[in-house]
Amino acid sequence: DDNSDDTMLIQPQTKVEAAADRKVLYGIYAYMGNGTASEPTEGIETFMDNLEFYDDGTYSGGNKYWPGKGHWLQFYAYSPYLTKDATKANYIENREGKSPVIHYTVPEDITKHDDILTGKSGKIDGSVTDPVAIEVSHILSKIQVKVGSVAAGKITSLKISGVNDKAEFSLADNEWMSITSSDAIENVVYEQMF
């Protein structure tokens, strides 16, 4: 798994020609407001609501035209893609129509642990036609422990305890919040016997 951060580009698209075998790389949110990027005013609204951004540079949701002069845009990206279905253990919410929030519970099945990446752009003027760059970075990385040769002795187990497994992450504030242990796993202990 590559732990390096990455940059993605989002650009206005006027025509979507999607390949059938494309892969979803990121979920995308964008918000629009009145004013300019340097002097925003009130009146924020959702411009892109959890669109799928594909490996061919296109995104779901049909054509999106930048709003033009007198407006600003701000973009948020995250990976892996999450549904907005709140009945799922992991989902994303468009909180108050102003900020994407990831709800995350660590899966009990270790093979389903994923690194999570997020990023956001600054505010840009709605008349900009250049691609928007979003630098993404890891907010959560899975831990992999490999046992190599041991000169003297034998490692018989590895135990990690007291790990919280449930939290929310605000993409706007770039911070974890509501960090707890889930009802299903109190006093979390991950233990592996060798």
Side-chain angles (χ1 to χ4, degrees):
D1 202 31
D2 183 359
N3 285 329
S4 64
D5 295 342
D6 201 1
T7 301
M8 61 175 296
L9 295 175
I10 301 174
Q11 53 191 351
Q13 71 185 30
T14 56
K15 186 176 182 183
V16 178
E17 293 179 14
D21 60 347
R22 63 190 175 170
K23 178 181 174 189
V24 178
L25 298 180
Y26 292 94
I28 301 293
Y29 277 88
Y31 298 93
M32 176 178 68
N34 296 320
T36 64
S38 59
E39 296 182 21
T41 60
E42 294 297 318
I44 190 170
E45 63 183 81
T46 304
F47 181 70
M48 292 181 169
D49 191 3
N50 202 32
L51 302 186
E52 296 171 329
F53 184 82
Y54 302 104
D55 58 354
D56 63 3
T58 61
Y59 46 81
S60 64
N63 298 338
K64 293 288 182 187
Y65 300 97
W66 277 201
K69 189 175 181 177
H71 299 282
W72 57 265
L73 291 167
Q74 185 167 26
F75 294 86
Y76 297 87
Y78 71 93
S79 178
Y81 184 82
L82 296 170
T83 178
K84 294 185 336 182
D85 183 353
T87 64
K88 304 285 185 189
N90 298 320
Y91 66 97
I92 193 156
E93 165 192 11
N94 186 3
R95 189 163 285 170
E96 298 175 10
K98 297 179 181 178
S99 169
V101 174
I102 294 172
H103 296 262
Y104 189 77
T105 301
V106 177
E108 289 185 45
D109 181 349
I110 198 165
T111 64
K112 295 185 179 175
H113 290 191
D114 288 317
D115 288 5
I116 301 176
L117 296 115
T118 64
K120 67 179 180 178
S121 71
K123 287 183 174 76
I124 62 164
D125 287 324
S127 59
V128 170
T129 58
D130 295 329
V132 178
I134 300 176
E135 289 186 34
V136 294
S137 58
H138 284 84
I139 61 166
L140 185 67
S141 297
K142 61 184 168 188
I143 299 172
Q144 291 184 333
V145 178
K146 294 184 180 185
V147 178
S149 61
V150 178
K154 180 179 178 183
I155 298 172
T156 58
S157 70
L158 170 67
K159 183 177 183 180
I160 302 172
S161 61
V163 177
N164 291 312
D165 70 332
K166 189 173 187 176
E168 296 175 357
F169 185 84
S170 167
L171 276 74
D173 298 327
N174 196 37
E175 70 179 6
W176 286 100
M177 52 197 182
S178 305
I179 302 169
T180 62
S181 287
S182 67
D183 296 335
I185 306 174
E186 196 62 44
N187 299 316
V188 178
V189 175
Y190 295 103
E191 187 168 6
Q192 176 67 47
M193 303 302 286
F194 300 102

